[in-house]
Amino acid sequence: MKAKPGAGEVWLEQEAIGVNYLDVTQRNGAVSIPLPSGLGLEGAGRVVAIGAGVANVAVDDRVAYMLGPIGSYASGRLYPANRLVRLPDEISTETGATVLFKGITAHYLLHSTYAVRPGSVVLLYGAAGALGQLMASWAKAMGAFVIGVVSKKSSVERAEAAGCDAVLIWGAGDLPSAVAGLTNGQKADVVYDGIGRPTFTASLDSLRTRGMMVSIGASGGAPDPVAVATLNTKGSLFLTRPGLAAHATDLTEYHRRANAVFDAVIAGVIKPAAANLSAPRCGGGARRIGRWYGGRGGSAQAMMHALPVNSLQELALLEAASLFAGSRREDARWKRGRFLNEPTTQPR
C-alpha cells in the first residue's frame, strides 16, 4: 500500500534493488539491527509522490540511493528525498540499483583513504570479487600499477580482465617477496586488505616505507591487535580501518561521490553489463535476477546483484543466502592459504 509522503519524503516505486553482503550479515545477526526490520540499503526506481518541501526531485524522476533508512527489499517505499540521486539517461535502473554501494566504497578508498595517482603501486586483495574488480578498474584508469591477490587460480583471468597488471594467488608463495619482485624491491604504496587475520602480517610486510595499510574487512577473521611500535619497526607505516558511513552520510559528500560513480560508468572506467538469470521458484513463479558480468579490457566484472522488485522479498533473501554460502566457501580458501603461507609470512 502506498503511503503518503511526509515533509522531505517521497514515495518511490522501486524497479530494482541491490543485494549486498551487508544485507547477509544483518540477516544472520553478525551485524545487529533493531528488530523487527526490513532489509536492504540500495535501490532504484521512479518517484510517484513527493512530500512538502521536496525540491531536488520531481514526480516521474528516475532515481537511485544507498544507505539511509533500511528497507529496500520492497516494491515501493517512503524514502528521504535528499538522499536520492537522479539517474542519468545513460544509466539503467539495474545499474543504478547495484553500482552505488560498492562504487562509492571504491571511490572513497581510492580518492580519500589513499589518494591513488599515476605510478602508485596498489596491492588489492579479492581482486576478482565485486568490490575488488571495481577498484582494480578504477585504480588502473587513475594510472596505478595494480597487483591483485586472489584465492584460486580460476580467478586470475577475471582479475586481469578487471585491470590488474599482475595477479598473485594467496598461498602459492611468499606474498611480500612476490610484491617486491614485481616492484624492483619498492613494494606497495597502499594495501587494501579485506581478508583480515590470515593476510594481515603479509600485508604489512608488502608495504614500502611509509606505506598505508587499509583494512577494509575481515572475511577471514578479525586481525589481532597491532602494537603501535610494530608500525614503526616495519617502516613508519600508516594503518587505517575506514567505513562507508563516514564517507557517505554528509549529503554534499554523498552526492559528489555518487555522481563520480555515475561519471565513471558513463566514461567506461567501470563497464558492467547486466544479464538475466532465472531464479528459483518462489511464491508463484520464476523471477529474473540481474547479475553483473564483466566485459573486456579494462571493464569490471562486478558480480553485483539486482533484483527486479516484482519478485517477492523471499526471493531476495534466497539470493542473499546463496551469496553468504559462496562467501563462506571463499573465506575457507583464504584460511587454507594462510597455512601454506605461514612459514614465510611470520614477522621477521
Side-chain angles (χ1 to χ4, degrees):
M1 178 183 297
K2 183 169 72 174
K4 182 178 179 180
E9 292 183 325
V10 307
W11 181 267
L12 181 65
E13 289 291 338
Q14 300 193 130
E15 298 174 6
I17 60 173
V19 178
N20 294 286
Y21 186 63
L22 179 57
D23 306 346
V24 180
T25 59
Q26 290 174 337
R27 183 180 179 228
N28 67 25
V31 175
S32 62
I33 55 176
L35 297 175
S37 175
L39 284 175
L41 291 164
E42 187 177 29
R46 289 186 181 273
V47 176
V48 299
I50 61 175
V54 173
N56 63 308
V57 294
V59 171
D60 208 38
D61 279 352
R62 296 171 59 246
V63 294
Y65 65 88
M66 57 150 293
L67 295 185
I70 194 170
S72 68
Y73 289 10
S75 58
R77 67 176 304 193
L78 293 171
Y79 192 80
N82 58 12
R83 290 199 63 87
L84 293 174
V85 183
R86 282 199 185 97
L87 287 172
D89 292 340
E90 299 91 339
I91 304 292
S92 71
T93 304
E94 289 77 11
T95 299
T98 56
V99 77
L100 278 183
F101 197 96
K102 293 177 180 66
I104 290 178
T105 300
H107 184 270
Y108 84 72
L109 289 172
L110 297 171
H111 292 81
S112 299
T113 305
Y114 181 88
V116 171
R117 56 189 182 276
S120 293
V121 177
V122 172
L123 181 63
L124 175 65
Y125 286 86
L131 175 61
Q133 290 180 76
L134 291 180
M135 291 183 65
S137 176
W138 212 333
K140 184 63 179 177
M142 296 167 71
F145 182 81
V146 183
I147 304 171
V149 185
V150 297
S151 64
K152 58 187 185 295
K153 186 177 181 179
S154 60
S155 296
V156 171
E157 183 177 356
R158 193 160 65 237
E160 290 175 338
C164 291
D165 296 282
V167 182
L168 303 174
I169 301 173
W170 174 252
D174 179 36
L175 186 74
S177 295
V179 172
L182 290 167
T183 59
N184 296 317
Q186 297 301 305
K187 297 190 177 180
D189 295 299
V190 60
V191 175
Y192 296 102
D193 185 339
I195 309 305
R197 184 180 296 118
T199 57
F200 195 83
T201 298
S203 295
L204 292 178
D205 290 342
S206 297
L207 284 165
R208 63 161 173 83
T209 299
R210 300 194 304 275
M212 178 173 284
M213 168 68 171
V214 185
S215 176
I216 59 174
S219 65
D224 294 328
V226 180
V228 173
T230 299
L231 302 177
N232 179 35
T233 58
K234 289 182 177 291
S236 296
L237 303 180
F238 296 88
L239 170 62
T240 183
R241 177 57 176 97
L244 178 59
H247 297 82
T249 298
D250 177 83
L251 291 174
T252 300
E253 182 177 18
Y254 165 65
H255 282 276
R256 175 174 60 82
R257 294 192 190 280
N259 288 322
V261 171
F262 289 155
D263 288 345
V265 174
I266 294 170
V269 173
I270 303 168
K271 300 178 183 178
N276 291 325
L277 301 180
S278 180
R281 288 191 171 272
C282 176
R287 308 291 188 180
R288 296 180 303 118
I289 295 176
R291 288 183 186 264
W292 292 116
Y293 288 91
R296 296 180 174 85
S299 63
Q301 183 193 5
M303 290 195 301
M304 296 179 287
H305 294 65
L307 293 173
V309 295
N310 60 342
S311 42
L312 300 177
Q313 181 176 358
E314 289 84 354
L315 178 58
L317 297 179
L318 283 173
E319 183 64 10
S322 174
L323 278 173
F324 177 62
S327 71
R328 290 292 294 273
R329 290 191 293 271
E330 191 73 6
D331 293 348
R333 294 190 185 99
W334 290 108
K335 290 174 181 176
R336 287 196 298 271
R338 177 192 182 189
F339 298 111
L340 290 172
N341 243 30
E342 272 187 339
T344 55
T345 58
Q346 294 303 304
R348 289 183 284 274

